[in-house]
Amino acid sequence: MRNFFASLLALLTLSVACAQAAPDSAASAAAAVAPPAGFVAPALPKADDSNAQRAKSQPGNNAPFWRAVHGSGDHAGTSNLPGAEKGVLIQSMIQYPGSKLTTAGEAWRQVRNQWIIPYGGSLLLITVLALALFYFSKGTLGGHVPYTGRLIERFTYFERAAHWSNAAAFSLLAISGLVMAFGKFFLLPVLGATLFGWLTYALKTAHNLAGPLFAVSLLVVFMTFVRDNLPTVHDLKWMLKGGGLFGEHEVPSARFNAGEKVVFWGGVFLLGFTVVGSGLVLDQLLPGLAYLRGDMQIAHMIHAVAAMLMMVLFLGHIYMGTVGMKDALKAMQTGMVDEGWAKEHHELWFDDIRAGNIPAQRSTPVDQSRPANPAAQH
Ligand code: HEM
């Protein structure tokens, strides 16, 4: 017991001695780091410091610099970058349709990656599946009216040349556009980065070159076919009956039926010229524009959406123009159709030809006495 009290006493004495010593060591530590005499403490960093001031008040803290970079969309800084927006390193805040309110570059990225790519891609896939389902349920349409062997000129040489140069440019633009948009999902894993990089670079270049060609050929196609695509009362009847697609007989139509006219005004005119106009902005070929990043972002979003919708519409056109309708492709290849074909698919046009209102031949005369190729007879 005695020992316990003795050690307790000793402990108590020791801690008293230390406490008395502590203020001395803190004082000596403070004395040790005290600023030298005459030292003036730098001003504390202020929120509106310039970077130069901050470098003095808090060396290494570049917050003012990055704040200026982030705000350069509203208050352009100075840089030796080339181009119109050299002082704008990050664009100002904006909200594009479908994006959050954020800097313009990020807003554009959100629209592209969260809307255009997933929904545009799904729409294209659904269209292909729907056309395949239609083909396997209905098969190739037509062939119900016997052929007479007498031919009618449906497309002149010029109309076919305009059509196929336009179709070729469109196909190149569509394929290169699809690779630029979706290639990283299905081609990059197969080809690897180097080959994929070269392929996309080559296709992007082809896309930029084919664009102006498509612009010209589209205008020629529009001017060439506009007269026979003007709406008439018959189109309304055709629309209301769905063209007779799900009935026994096709609804009578003029040279082009209402479905083709929708493709013409919706696809060739509206979407076609929107894709071309926004494409020429992206190619920086229109005079008088500053081509700022915001302009390019808006042009790209319009271009991509219009191109996706145009591809959906022309997938339908290409389907009808290849396997969807018997001998339709031959019409655009040779320019000629049999009277039976004209009667079945464009009865009012056929009636006009028989009545002599429209010539059966608009370019070089056809030899009526020579029967059509027997093989063509179904
Ligand atoms: C490889 C793709 C294409 C194929 C296989 C194709 C096939 C056809 C066929 C067979 C016809 C004749 C239809 C009929 O006799 O009524 C036709 C007509 C037509 N095609 Fe195409 N086409 C293609 C691409 C395009 C493109 C890209 C455009 C325009 C952007 C286009 C615009 C037209 C127009 C304006 C007509 C005349 C019919 C009308 O004015 O409605 N075609 N096409």
Side-chain angles (χ1 to χ4, degrees):
M1 184 58 94
R2 227 171 45 204
N3 290 347
F4 169 72
F5 280 110
S7 47
L8 191 66
L9 195 61
L11 203 64
L12 212 63
T13 325
L14 190 64
S15 52
V16 170
C18 289
Q20 282 172 344
D24 295 347
S25 59
S28 55
V33 292
F39 169 76
V40 180
L44 285 177
K46 292 195 291 306
D48 59 355
D49 266 353
S50 69
N51 214 48
Q53 290 160 332
R54 183 61 59 85
K56 289 202 187 83
S57 61
Q58 219 172 22
N61 171 335
N62 290 318
F65 171 78
W66 293 113
R67 209 172 289 126
V69 167
H70 197 273
S72 62
D74 302 319
H75 309 289
T78 47
S79 83
N80 54 9
L81 287 171
E85 296 168 291
K86 51 175 157 246
V88 180
L89 297 182
I90 296 181
Q91 292 168 277
S92 44
M93 306 286 274
I94 199 166
Q95 186 165 19
Y96 288 137
S99 83
K100 294 196 181 72
L101 176 66
T102 178
T103 53
E106 171 57 19
W108 167 77
R109 196 190 65 79
Q110 289 176 6
V111 174
R112 183 189 182 278
N113 294 357
Q114 292 168 13
W115 291 93
I116 298 177
I117 297 291
Y119 291 95
S122 316
L123 196 59
L124 286 170
L125 278 181
I126 291 166
T127 307
V128 172
L129 282 177
L131 289 172
L133 270 178
F134 185 81
Y135 178 69
F136 289 114
S137 59
K138 292 280 284 182
T140 300
L141 303 176
H144 302 108
V145 175
Y147 283 14
T148 64
R150 279 188 298 280
L151 300 178
I152 295 171
E153 184 181 43
R154 184 159 173 76
F155 297 109
T156 62
Y157 182 81
F158 176 81
E159 288 170 340
R160 283 174 282 144
H163 176 269
W164 287 121
S165 49
N166 190 51
F170 176 82
S171 306
L172 177 58
L173 289 165
I175 293 164
S176 53
L178 288 172
V179 170
M180 284 192 271
F182 303 103
K184 75 172 188 183
F185 303 115
F186 65 91
L187 273 181
L188 178 58
V190 181
L191 298 179
T194 314
L195 200 52
F196 177 68
W198 280 110
L199 176 71
T200 24
Y201 181 73
L203 287 175
K204 183 192 77 73
T205 313
H207 194 92
N208 291 352
L209 293 175
L213 174 70
F214 180 67
V216 175
S217 62
L218 187 75
L219 190 60
V220 173
V221 159
F222 179 76
M223 302 307 284
T224 305
F225 292 109
V226 64
R227 202 169 55 105
D228 287 325
N229 276 286
L230 297 175
T232 68
V233 280
H234 305 294
D235 297 324
L236 201 57
K237 205 165 149 209
W238 194 96
M239 278 293 196
L240 292 175
K241 292 192 172 177
L245 222 52
F246 302 98
E248 282 302 301
H249 297 293
E250 260 188 70
V251 178
S253 71
R255 185 180 177 206
F256 302 128
N257 60 39
E260 288 175 303
K261 291 182 184 179
V262 167
V263 172
F264 184 82
W265 290 107
V268 174
F269 180 67
L270 195 65
L271 293 170
F273 288 114
T274 306
V275 166
V276 163
S278 53
L280 292 175
V281 172
L282 292 170
D283 251 357
Q284 302 196 5
L285 289 174
L286 294 180
L289 287 182
Y291 297 111
L292 303 179
R293 265 166 285 169
D295 305 334
M296 300 306 258
Q297 286 156 359
I298 292 169
H300 170 269
M301 291 185 282
I302 294 173
H303 189 72
V305 171
M308 295 281 183
L309 294 175
M310 193 175 177
M311 283 191 278
V312 165
L313 216 52
F314 277 94
L315 275 172
H317 175 79
I318 295 170
Y319 168 78
M320 288 307 285
T322 50
V323 293
M325 184 183 282
K326 188 171 182 299
D327 290 341
L329 188 59
K330 203 186 282 172
M332 195 45 94
Q333 285 171 327
T334 66
M336 311 306 280
V337 293
D338 188 279
E339 286 182 343
W341 187 96
K343 183 171 173 40
E344 177 170 6
H345 300 297
H346 299 279
E347 191 170 347
L348 302 176
W349 177 62
F350 175 64
D351 293 347
D352 270 338
I353 288 170
R354 220 163 35 174
N357 303 335
I358 301 174
Q361 181 69 42
R362 286 173 293 137
S363 52
T364 50
V366 172
D367 177 356
Q368 292 288 350
S369 65
R370 192 164 56 75
N373 164 355
Q377 304 293 328
H378 70 102

